[in-house]
Amino acid sequence: MSTEPAFVIVTGMSGAGRSTAAKALEDLGWFVIDNLPPGLLFAMAEEAGKVKLAADKVAAVVDVRSLAFTTDLNAAIEELEGRGVRVRVVFLEASDEELVRRFENVRRPHPLQGEGRLVDGITRERGILREVRANADLVIDTSAHNVHELRHKIVAFFGGDDRPGLRVNVVSFGFKYGLPVDADLVVDCRFLPNPHWVPDLRPMNGLDIPVRDYVLGQPGAKEFLDAYEEVLQVVAAGYAREGKSYATLAVGCTGGKHRSVAMAEQVAARLRDRGMEVQVSHRDVGRE
């Protein structure tokens, strides 16, 4: 049986990219309806089934402007699943700072700020959406993504029906810049010597062969990769049993330039060798 969801709900923070995600799905041939109240989700799925859309690709964009949002959405999802409709929730996230910047650039108020400040609306929305985010099948942090990068990520997750098994995004990052908020699993490569302290390697990054060879040649590097690969097989099997089709694995070091980049590439290569669909990104390369 295909693990591709028959019904996708796209939701998340205002300004985090819901419209971009919806357009990307439409370009992939999905039937998408925007700003649908949660109470109408089942009616939409029912109508889609009558015209044989439910067996294909159907998505709805739901935002916080619907009154009693979390109650309505959770109840609607339960109704859909109770009637045999496979549902997957995609939650789009972004940092407060990035959301403020985006709203200021378009000179629009936040839908929940009322007479208060922009940050007041963002804080209120986070509170309302907390439970939805916690239960989402896929969380995408768009803080560092432009519209083209977000579209690429949506295509990577939803672009094919015949991709095998779990779809994985491996992201390298620097701890000094904060954890990726959309990570399902986080590992720390700071137990390895830092190429930053090798003058010839300092200007390079983990994609450069001398840095890669230096990192992989350190005691413990291969043993870590072997052990983590085995752990991921157990996790992937559990995700499959729970119906989770997408996962983000974060690999960190101090600055996200050397060790985490090289190790993330190795993790991705090993997962591909096991037949998984893998996308790699390096969040903090070039940031220093």
Side-chain angles (χ1 to χ4, degrees), residues 175-186:
F175 278 96
K176 70 179 183 180
Y177 300 118
L179 294 174
V181 299
D182 54 347
D184 294 292
L185 296 172
V186 177

Side-chain angles (χ1 to χ4, degrees), residues 173 175 185-190 224 228 249-253 260 267:
F173 72 97
F175 278 96
L185 296 172
V186 177
V187 292
D188 186 353
C189 293
R190 290 176 294 183
F224 170 83
Y228 192 46
L249 312 181
V251 182
C253 64
S260 62
V267 169

Side-chain angles (χ1 to χ4, degrees), residues 49-102:
K50 290 178 181 177
V51 294
K52 303 192 182 299
L53 285 172
D56 297 320
K57 302 171 182 179
V58 181
V61 180
V62 180
D63 68 40
V64 77
R65 287 172 290 184
S66 174
L67 296 177
F69 178 91
T70 54
T71 301
D72 287 353
L73 183 55
N74 290 334
I77 291 172
E78 289 177 3
E79 182 179 14
L80 287 166
E81 293 180 336
R83 301 199 182 204
V85 179
R86 295 194 316 276
V87 181
R88 293 293 179 266
V89 178
V90 178
F91 189 97
L92 299 179
E93 169 73 275
S95 67
D96 287 3
E97 294 79 8
E98 180 61 22
L99 292 175
V100 168
R101 187 188 67 81
R102 292 176 185 177

